[in-house]
């Protein structure tokens, strides 16, 4: 019994010691400085969602895939407006925070985005304009035009209507895309967030955030995507393959349909690699 009591006393002393250590550890904790950045959809080079790039490819393949479908609430004059952030702007602000230039504003949250609030239709039309600007001319002084673009300007690539059933807004790579449905569907890649348009004015006033104009951000993103396809070599091959794979799966085309074959030919002409072994598989 004495041995048991001794062991019990020893355990109690040990527990008390650990409890004291825990208290001391809590007393030594130092609050971690933080600053939260709230973002809408982000565009820019190396965007891992490939959303804007897919709209760019859709514009270039409009005679194969049909016009870019925009639902009425996201059309010009519709009830919903969108915000976009430009990736280099976000990186620049994060660098400022890391350098301690925003220490006076720590412990707060900020909206970070381009100033403009636009409709999805306006974004697609801007992408189409940029595609025309980056497309090579024919050498005879004629107006530049992107492969597959309907003559008459950017607006001809957009159709305002409800997207086909079978796709939810922001839908990406679910298994549903490979099903053999006869219903023609049209995906919408934006918005992928539900917060709506945001106001970055407070970040501009208090953090010195200087957003790139949205028109310029879209142009630079389109140029980067075009540059990835221009060489056709190993540089950017993985990004091209993934962008093309996601576009194909977004439309859920049947393996040997005429539309699927036409899209495959068009993407190859645009500099995108073929799938590795069968339609829809990971590309090389």
């Amino acid at each position: 019994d004495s041995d048991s009591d001794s062991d019990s006393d020893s355990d109690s002393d040990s527990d008390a010691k650990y409890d004291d250590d825990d208290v001391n550890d809590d007393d030594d904790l130092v609050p971690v400085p933080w600053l939260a950045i709230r973002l809408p959809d982000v565009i820019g080079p190396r965007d891992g969602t490939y959303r804007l790039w897919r709209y760019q490819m859709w514009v270039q393949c409009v005679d194969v895939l049909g016009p870019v479908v925009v639902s009425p609430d996201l059309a010009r004059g519709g009830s919903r407006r969108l915000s976009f952030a430009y990736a280099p702007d976000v990186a620049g602000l994060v660098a400022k925070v890391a350098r301690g230039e925003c220490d006076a504003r720590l412990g707060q949250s900020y909206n970070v985005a381009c100033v403009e609030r636009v409709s999805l239709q306006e974004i697609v039309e801007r992408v189409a304009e940029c595609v025309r600007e980056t497309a090579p001319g024919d050498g005879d002084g004629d107006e530049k035009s992107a492969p597959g673009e309907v003559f008459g300007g950017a607006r001809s690539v957009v159709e305002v209507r409800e997207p086909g059933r079978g796709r939810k807004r922001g839908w990406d790579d679910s298994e549903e895309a490979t099903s053999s449905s006869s219903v023609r569907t049209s995906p919408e890649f934006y918005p992928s967030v539900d917060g709506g348009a945001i106001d970055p004015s407070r970040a501009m006033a208090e953090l010195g955030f200087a957003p790139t104009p949205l028109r310029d951000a879209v142009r630079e993103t389109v140029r980067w995507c075009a540059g990835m396809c221009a060489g056709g070599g190993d540089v950017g091959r993985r990004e091209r393959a993934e962008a093309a794979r996601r576009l194909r799966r977004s439309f859920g085309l049947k393996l040997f349909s005429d539309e699927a074959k036409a899209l495959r030919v068009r993407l190859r002409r645009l500099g995108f690699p073929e799938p590795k072994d069968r339609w829809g598989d990971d590309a090389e």
Side-chain angles (χ1 to χ4, degrees), residues 95-109:
K96 286 187 64 175
V97 175
R99 291 194 298 265
E101 298 176 18
C102 303
D103 284 356
R105 302 297 180 180
L106 294 179
Q108 301 185 60
S109 299

Side-chain angles (χ1 to χ4, degrees), residues 107-229:
Q108 301 185 60
S109 299
Y110 292 89
N111 294 332
V112 172
C114 297
V115 173
E116 300 85 348
R117 304 178 190 182
V118 297
S119 65
L120 177 58
Q121 181 178 357
E122 290 171 293
I123 283 293
V124 174
E125 289 173 357
R126 177 58 180 157
V127 168
E129 291 172 3
C130 295
V131 167
R132 292 175 66 88
E133 293 171 3
T134 57
D138 60 11
D140 296 327
D142 290 343
E143 183 181 7
K144 296 177 182 179
S145 59
E149 184 177 343
V150 179
F151 179 79
R155 292 191 183 186
S156 59
V157 303
V158 176
E159 178 181 352
V160 178
R161 65 172 173 82
E162 291 294 342
R165 61 189 178 90
R167 295 291 184 272
K168 296 180 179 179
R169 186 172 299 140
W171 179 91
D172 193 359
D173 283 340
S174 68
E175 291 301 321
E176 181 185 357
T178 58
S179 64
S180 58
S181 171
S182 61
V183 179
R184 179 68 163 82
T185 57
S186 297
E188 279 187 345
F189 308 126
Y190 291 129
S192 66
V193 294
D194 298 325
I198 61 177
D199 180 7
S201 59
R202 184 162 163 261
M204 296 169 65
E206 298 182 8
L207 302 180
F209 175 59
T212 299
L214 183 57
R215 288 180 61 85
D216 295 343
V218 173
R219 183 187 66 242
E220 292 306 312
T221 305
V222 170
R223 284 181 175 176
W224 181 86
C225 295
M228 285 290 98
C229 298

